Amino acid sequence: MSVSLFAGVGVALAPSASAASHPACYRDLRDHTAKITGNNVNLRKAKGTWNPILRVLQKGAKVTVYCQGVVYRDGDAEAGEWYYVKHQASGIKGWVLTKYVR
């Protein structure tokens, strides 16, 4: 949260929300552009490898990263962290494992 001063009075300003933050995220990443680092990377409907594939992304594909989330299954984190992204070429939004995004 930031604080601005107007005529000597402190005014608290709420942080701006991501344009497409997701309720399943724990960390907002402020809509930055990144690239896919692997070949045939699955863009999924929800976090987790068991969820439907919306699109297969190729190495170098540009994505907008909105936020980060994790999947827990049977008490253990499954396959690490996930990013909620938008594939820039198609406009499709979904989830990608963080290890495939830089």
Side-chain angles (χ1 to χ4, degrees):
M1 181 177 297
S2 62
V3 176
S4 296
L5 292 176
F6 294 102
V9 177
V11 177
L13 302 174
S16 61
S18 172
S21 61
H22 195 282
C25 291
Y26 70 86
R27 182 174 162 207
D28 186 351
L29 295 172
R30 300 290 176 208
D31 307 355
H32 73 273
T33 300
K35 289 185 180 179
I36 298 297
T37 60
N39 288 313
N40 301 316
V41 174
N42 295 321
L43 178 65
R44 295 185 179 272
K45 184 174 183 175
K47 298 178 293 184
T49 55
W50 58 91
N51 285 300
I53 297 168
L54 300 173
R55 187 171 187 94
V56 177
L57 305 177
Q58 297 305 313
K59 187 173 186 174
K62 291 182 182 178
V63 294
T64 301
V65 181
Y66 296 120
C67 60
Q68 187 172 2
V70 66
V71 172
Y72 290 97
R73 191 170 192 181
D74 298 327
D76 295 319
E78 188 220 36
E81 303 281 325
W82 293 76
Y83 287 141
Y84 181 61
V85 303
K86 178 176 77 173
H87 178 231
Q88 291 183 356
S90 68
I92 297 172
K93 294 177 184 173
W95 294 89
V96 176
L97 281 166
T98 59
K99 68 182 181 179
Y100 297 119
V101 181
R102 292 282 175 260

